[in-house]
Amino acid sequence: NAGVMQNPRHLVRRRGQEARLRCSPMKGHSHVYWYRQLPEEGLKFMVYLQKENIIDESGMPKERFSAEFPKEGPSILRIQQVVRGDSAAYFCASSHPGQGAYEQYFGPGTRLTVT
Amino acid sequence: DAKTTQPNSMESNEEEPVHLPCNHSTISGTDYIHWYRQLPSQGPEYVIHGLTSNVNNRMASLAIAEDRKSSTLILHRATLRDAAVYYCILRDGDTGANSKLTFGKGITLSVRP
């Protein structure tokens, strides 16, 4: 059973470009979470999605950031008009509803560098 | 989510037990205690969780104080691979099985060979 997959692992964008980060949850998982880790800082929650629904976006910046988890395909975190402050590691996690442990399984992350 | 307090760092010797403390004096009755760890340059990894009773799994043990205001993660024999940042996190059981994780600064564990 493959783990959570994220791609690309490394992404370089110039200021003003768009960044698209993809996350494929573990097989059978229908809940996806995105977290951001700025350099030398802790992990911060961004958004929680179920298939075709945003459940909690309390950690998402108000502008330029959006997320989706379509019925088919991976979850996408989209950052428009990137700025240097968006440089960070972005982690995706997934979980399976109904499992007793309710743990979240994390992917290896996408490291975004904005030049 | 209720707040947790952990020391900034801890050192251990390889093959010795490690006790990582966590204080959560404002824990509510429905809060679960979760531990995750993050190895260098990797995503976080679930370690263990519990509510009231002590818990054991293949990775670690979790000892929960009787008043639940503190807990201790126990690694029985530290290896170099256990060097990581360990996060103690409270999750409200009332908000459902699936909810966000609120990470603090965690405790950085160093393991000496």
Side-chain angles (χ1 to χ4, degrees):
Chain A
N1 187 11
V4 176
M5 298 176 70
Q6 290 187 249
N7 67 79
R9 295 291 305 276
H10 299 273
L11 182 61
V12 179
R13 285 287 178 265
R14 289 198 181 96
R15 278 180 297 170
Q17 290 184 320
E18 179 180 285
R20 280 185 180 240
L21 287 63
R22 293 175 186 77
C23 169
S24 296
M26 286 183 69
K27 186 176 180 181
H29 286 194
S30 57
H31 297 240
V32 165
Y33 313 78
W34 286 93
Y35 296 83
R36 178 168 67 172
Q37 189 166 35
L38 293 165
E40 306 303 321
E41 292 191 20
L43 286 142
K44 302 293 183 190
F45 166 79
M46 299 181 76
V47 62
Y48 161 33
L49 310 102
Q50 296 178 20
K51 286 284 187 180
E52 300 185 281
N53 285 307
I54 296 175
I55 306 302
D56 180 357
E57 56 181 346
S58 58
M60 284 282 267
K62 293 288 184 283
E63 297 177 349
R64 302 187 297 107
F65 285 72
S66 62
E68 63 176 10
F69 188 19
K71 188 176 179 181
E72 301 290 338
S75 175
I76 307 286
L77 179 68
R78 182 181 178 208
I79 311 172
Q80 295 179 288
Q81 299 176 323
V82 296
V83 300
R84 286 222 172 99
D86 297 333
S87 295
Y90 292 82
F91 293 98
C92 165
S94 72
S95 67
H96 190 300
Q99 279 190 339
Y102 310 131
E103 61 259 40
Q104 293 184 11
Y105 296 85
F106 283 79
T110 293
R111 279 149 184 83
L112 173 65
T113 302
V114 179
T115 62
Chain B
D1 291 323
K3 187 179 170 65
T4 63
T5 305
Q6 300 177 257
N8 288 333
S9 61
M10 183 172 286
E11 285 191 344
S12 171
N13 294 319
E14 198 175 9
E15 298 192 4
E16 290 185 356
V18 181
H19 291 234
L20 302 175
C22 181
N23 288 322
H24 28 78
S25 58
T26 59
I27 191 170
S28 73
T30 55
D31 283 335
Y32 285 77
I33 302 158
H34 286 244
W35 283 81
Y36 281 74
R37 71 179 185 181
Q38 187 176 21
L39 278 64
S41 301
Q42 295 189 28
E45 175 185 29
Y46 167 82
V47 178
I48 200 166
H49 82 287
L51 183 62
T52 57
S53 304
N54 294 345
V55 185
N56 299 295
N57 67 18
R58 63 174 181 81
M59 289 183 71
S61 295
L62 177 60
I64 301 172
E66 197 169 335
D67 63 4
R68 301 211 322 126
K69 294 184 185 298
S70 65
S71 60
T72 302
L73 180 71
I74 302 165
L75 307 179
H76 295 286
R77 287 180 72 241
T79 68
L80 296 177
R81 197 195 169 276
D82 291 322
V85 179
Y86 286 78
Y87 299 97
C88 171
I89 299 168
L90 300 183
R91 294 184 76 190
D92 185 358
D94 272 353
T95 60
N98 295 287
S99 60
K100 65 184 179 186
L101 294 171
T102 301
F103 289 86
K105 295 186 186 303
I107 178 171
T108 300
L109 174 66
S110 303
V111 180
R112 292 184 289 252

